[in-house]
Amino acid sequence: MKEIKGGCLCGQVRFRITAEPMAMRLCWCRLCQYLAAGNATVNVVFPSNAITIEGELRDFRCVAESGNVMHRRFCPNCGTQLFSEAESRPHLIIVRNGALDDTALLTPGATIWTSQAPEWAWIDESLPQHAGQPPPVA
Ligand SMILES: [Zn+2]
Ligand SMILES: [Zn+2]
């Protein structure tokens, strides 16, 4: 299959993926609003064993409301958010759509954490919505 490639704004971090994406979702949780400059993050889920990453990442670790320990990885040089991983689901890696070379590769399948979105948020009515965390994709 065709490789899916991406990296950060400054080019210090590059990655390639050799698997089909499992899901694409928009997340309006409060933490994502910090990461995405006030909007929802756009996230693509892949099997973590199909990604090869080159370059240095910094890791912001925090504990989610669910008790899950989360790692959010970004480029220490340019600050681009690239990956999110939950310690409870090590077989999955979430890739920020903005870090893909082709940001039009996929279209979102759902909007999650709508309960934390601001009132002005534009939420696509044609997509499934979850007020909080949806059931795991795998
Ligand atoms: Zn960078
Ligand atoms: Zn979120």
Side-chain angles (χ1 to χ4, degrees), residues 44-103:
V44 190
V45 185
F46 290 97
S48 54
N49 62 7
I51 189 166
T52 307
I53 301 166
E54 282 164 30
E56 183 199 350
L57 290 162
R58 280 275 291 281
D59 177 13
F60 177 64
R61 178 188 179 280
C62 66
V63 182
E65 276 175 49
S66 60
N68 260 342
V69 179
M70 300 292 301
H71 296 269
R72 292 176 173 87
R73 300 185 206 278
F74 58 96
C75 171
N77 186 47
C78 69
T80 301
Q81 293 285 331
L82 291 122
F83 310 113
S84 172
E85 290 157 282
E87 283 189 2
S88 62
R89 308 192 72 73
H91 58 293
L92 301 179
I93 186 163
I94 293 163
V95 179
R96 308 299 185 188
N97 192 62
L100 298 178
D101 287 349
D102 180 4
T103 58

Side-chain angles (χ1 to χ4, degrees), residues 27 29 32 41 113:
C27 182
C29 83
C32 280
T41 54
W113 285 103

Side-chain angles (χ1 to χ4, degrees), residues 20-53:
E20 298 292 341
M22 300 162 74
M24 181 181 190
R25 298 188 296 214
L26 306 168
C27 182
W28 274 104
C29 83
R30 186 64 185 92
L31 192 146
C32 280
Q33 293 179 50
Y34 282 104
L35 304 185
N39 217 296
T41 54
V42 186
N43 305 298
V44 190
V45 185
F46 290 97
S48 54
N49 62 7
I51 189 166
T52 307
I53 301 166

Side-chain angles (χ1 to χ4, degrees), residues 113-125:
W113 285 103
T114 55
S115 62
Q116 297 191 355
E119 253 172 49
W120 53 258
W122 181 82
I123 293 172
D124 188 338
E125 298 288 338

